[in-house]
Amino acid sequence: MTETISRPASAPTGTATDYDLVIRGNRIMTTAGEVAREVGIRDGKIVAIEPLGNNLEGAEVIELSAEEVLLPGLVDTHVHVNEPGRTEWEGFASATRAAAAGGVTTIIDMPLNSIPPTVNVDALEQKRAAAREQAFVDVGFWGGAIPGNQGDLRGLHDEGVFGFKCFLLHSGVDEFPHLEADEMESDMAVLKTFDSIMIVHAEDSRAIDRAPTAEGDHYDKFLASRPRGAENVAIAEVIERARWTGARAHVLHLSSSDALPMIASAKRDGVRITAETCPHYLTLIAEEIPNGATAYKCCPPIREAGNRELLWEGLLDGTIDCIVSDHSPSTLDLKDLENGDFAVAWGGVSSLQLGLSLIWTEARRRGIALDKVIDWMSTKPAALAGLNSKGKLALGYDADLSIFAPDESYVVDPAKLHHKNPITAYAQKPLSGVVRKTYLRGQQIDSQTPAGQLLRRGMA
C-alpha cells in the first residue's frame, strides 16, 4: 500500500526544491508512458517531474507501492447530474463523490434532465448555484440547443459553457425538445461564428417511429425498436451539416458500428467531427441481457457482440475519439423493476464510479495497455472540451491525480456505490482495477469537504 511521509515541522521551507506534495513511484503515467518518476506539486499544479532517485523534498511525500500506478484524473464530459429539479435522480454531491471514487476529477454536466434545462443564462446560473457548495470534483456545463433558443446561444457561450447539446428525436423529457436537422444546421452555423461545438444525440425520429414497439419485457424487442439505421441516418445528417457549415460537431454515445466508416471518411475529408462511446457499449452485449432487466436500458441500446468488437476496433484506429460514461441515473421506480417493461422504463445506465475499472477490465483482456485507456478517458475528453490544464500528468497541468491498483479486483455491489440510487447494470460483476486515492489540485478528496471548482470554457 501507499506510504505517506510527513516532513517534520523544523524542516527548511521555501527552497526551489520544496513542494507541497511529492509522489514517487516506479509506475507514473506520464505523456511518455509508464515510467519511474518523482512528481512535485506546488499550489495545485504539477511543477516538477524528475527521475526516481532525485529525492525531491515536500511537505508531504507519498511513496507508491510496487502494485500502484499514478494516473491523471479522468475527465468525463457526459454526465447527467439532474440537479436542480430532479435531484432525487442524482445530485451534485452524490455524483461528484461517485466520480472521485472512480478516479474522475472533472465532469461536464449535460443540459438536461434538470429543471430548468440549461438553455439560457438564467438556467445556467441556477445550475451553478446548485453545484457551487457541494462539488467534490471540478464541474463544467454544456448548454442546450432547442427550438427557439438560438438567440441564447452566444450568451451561454460568453458565460462559459463548453458547447451545446441537441437531440434529433424526443429527448425523453418534454422541457428539452429536439431539433429538426435543418434547425440543427442553422444553430451550427451560428456556433461556427464563435467556434463552439454542437454535440448531438444522433438517432433519427422517423426511423424510430417506423420501428417495432418496445412494449414488454423482451430485450430483443427493445433492441429492434432502436435500430442501427436510426443512428446511421442521424449521424449522416450530423456529418453533412458539419461539412456544409464548417462547424465542429461531436457524435454522442455511439453504439452503431455501422456508422464507423462514415465517420472515418468524414474525418479524412476534413470535416470537423469527433465521436465518443461508452463503457456499456464496450463491455456488455445484447445476447447476455436477461428479459426484464431494465437496468440495462439505454438509448441508443446495447447491441450485439459483433457490434461491440467493431467499436473496439474503431477506438484503436482513432475513428472513435474517447470513452465517457453517459451517466444517466433515475429513481428505482422509473426503471420499472417490478414489471421489467422496456417501453416504460427510463433509459440510462449509471456507471460514473465504475468506468475506469470497466474499461480496464475489458482492455487488459484484449492486450490493450493502460496508457491507451487513459488517453481515451482523460486526455481525449479534455481535448474535446478544451480543458487545457487537465487530462495529462505533465508540467503545468492541474495536479488532478489518482492512485490506481490495476491488478486488484472487486465485485460490484450497488449498495456500496456513491450514486444516489443503488441500481447498476454491473451488479455482481467482477472487475479489475481499484482506485485507492484521488487528488484534486494536489489535495486528497475526502468525500467530506467539497473542494471542486466550477469551470468555464477557456479558464481551465
Side-chain angles (χ1 to χ4, degrees):
M1 296 291 287
T2 309
E3 181 181 0
T4 302
I5 304 167
S6 296
R7 189 180 60 193
S10 59
T13 61
T15 67
T17 55
D18 191 15
Y19 303 97
D20 302 324
L21 174 65
V22 172
I23 303 178
R24 302 177 183 145
N26 284 296
R27 306 178 69 184
I28 308 293
M29 189 63 74
T30 70
T31 55
E34 196 176 295
V35 290
R37 290 290 186 269
E38 300 185 2
V39 179
I41 297 161
R42 186 186 300 125
D43 298 329
K45 295 284 187 179
I46 298 169
V47 295
I49 302 175
E50 301 285 347
L52 187 63
N54 278 19
N55 295 319
L56 299 180
E57 296 181 5
E60 181 181 358
V61 177
I62 292 174
E63 305 271 4
L64 300 183
S65 64
E67 72 270 14
E68 293 176 331
V69 186
L70 185 67
L71 303 177
L74 302 190
V75 176
D76 193 335
T77 55
H78 195 149
V79 178
H80 294 267
V81 176
N82 307 327
E83 186 177 8
R86 291 190 175 98
T87 309
E88 69 275 15
W89 294 19
E90 189 74 278
F92 284 103
S94 52
T96 55
R97 278 194 184 97
V104 178
T105 50
T106 301
I107 66 170
I108 303 187
D109 176 60
M110 283 292 165
L112 73 165
N113 302 296
S114 55
I115 301 174
T118 315
V119 295
N120 54 50
V121 170
D122 179 66
L124 174 63
E125 289 307 315
Q126 292 185 56
K127 273 274 194 182
R128 286 178 169 155
R132 188 166 284 117
E133 301 299 328
Q134 52 177 339
F136 290 92
V137 303
D138 286 355
V139 179
F141 301 91
W142 296 108
I146 63 172
N149 85 323
Q150 190 173 96
D152 293 295
L153 303 182
R154 183 58 194 253
L156 282 163
H157 174 79
D158 290 345
E159 279 298 312
V161 299
F162 286 84
F164 296 88
K165 180 177 186 176
C166 73
F167 280 73
L168 290 177
L169 81 171
H170 194 284
S171 69
V173 291
D174 292 337
E175 67 272 6
F176 197 95
H178 72 281
L179 298 178
E180 298 297 334
D182 287 346
E183 294 174 310
M184 177 181 68
E185 181 187 345
S186 177
D187 282 357
M188 289 169 79
V190 172
L191 300 188
K192 172 66 164 57
T193 65
F194 43 88
D195 199 30
S196 190
I197 186 171
M198 183 70 86
I199 64 174
V200 186
H201 182 122
E203 288 182 285
D204 182 74
S205 60
R206 297 161 300 177
I208 300 292
D209 289 344
R210 290 171 180 250
T213 177
E215 185 179 0
D217 64 355
H218 284 248
Y219 185 79
D220 58 353
K221 289 186 66 178
F222 170 64
L223 185 58
S225 77
R226 312 291 291 215
R228 297 188 199 195
E231 272 192 274
N232 303 338
V233 169
I235 290 169
E237 289 277 20
V238 175
I239 289 170
E240 295 313 306
R241 307 299 173 130
R243 190 192 307 274
W244 301 340
T245 61
R248 289 190 292 146
H250 178 73
V251 176
L252 296 167
H253 45 52
L254 177 68
S255 85
S256 172
S257 62
D258 293 351
L260 291 170
M262 281 192 296
I263 296 169
S265 176
K267 287 186 172 190
R268 289 193 297 270
D269 289 347
V271 178
R272 303 169 75 195
I273 187 87
T274 50
E276 69 185 37
T277 192
C278 307
H280 37 283
Y281 303 128
L282 296 167
T283 64
L284 302 172
I285 55 174
E287 293 91 337
E288 295 179 354
I289 296 177
N291 289 334
T294 52
Y296 293 84
K297 180 184 175 179
C298 55
C299 300
I302 297 159
R303 303 193 188 277
E304 303 86 352
N307 184 85
R308 179 181 70 174
E309 298 311 301
L310 291 171
L311 291 178
W312 277 99
E313 290 181 20
L315 279 163
L316 290 167
D317 68 22
T319 304
I320 301 173
D321 298 271
C322 54
I323 304 171
V324 293
S325 69
D326 189 12
H327 178 71
S328 184
S330 72
T331 54
L332 298 183
D333 60 303
L334 290 177
K335 276 297 192 180
D336 195 42
L337 299 176
E338 183 175 346
N339 300 311
D341 188 336
F342 284 99
V344 173
W346 176 259
V349 173
S350 297
S351 65
L352 181 55
Q353 185 170 333
L354 300 171
L356 178 56
S357 297
L358 287 164
I359 295 302
W360 171 236
T361 300
E362 191 70 22
R364 74 186 307 188
R365 184 176 72 81
R366 297 166 180 272
I368 297 171
L370 184 56
D371 63 335
K372 290 294 296 181
V373 171
I374 296 306
D375 188 45
W376 292 325
M377 302 189 76
S378 185
T379 308
K380 292 286 180 61
L384 169 70
L387 290 164
N388 297 320
S389 64
K390 297 185 182 293
K392 296 179 182 178
L393 200 166
L395 292 176
Y397 279 66
D398 289 350
D400 298 348
L401 307 163
S402 73
I403 297 174
F404 185 61
D407 297 323
E408 188 174 344
S409 61
Y410 67 102
V411 175
V412 176
D413 180 352
K416 293 181 179 179
L417 300 177
H418 291 281
H419 306 154
K420 179 159 285 191
N421 290 280
I423 180 173
T424 174
Y426 305 104
Q428 307 311 311
K429 185 177 180 68
L431 297 178
S432 296
V434 171
V435 175
R436 291 182 172 172
K437 294 180 181 179
T438 303
Y439 294 81
L440 185 67
R441 284 180 294 279
Q443 298 293 319
Q444 185 178 347
I445 299 173
D446 62 6
S447 292
Q448 301 298 318
T449 307
Q453 295 182 2
L454 304 188
L455 304 178
R456 293 172 181 253
R457 173 196 45 79
M459 296 178 63

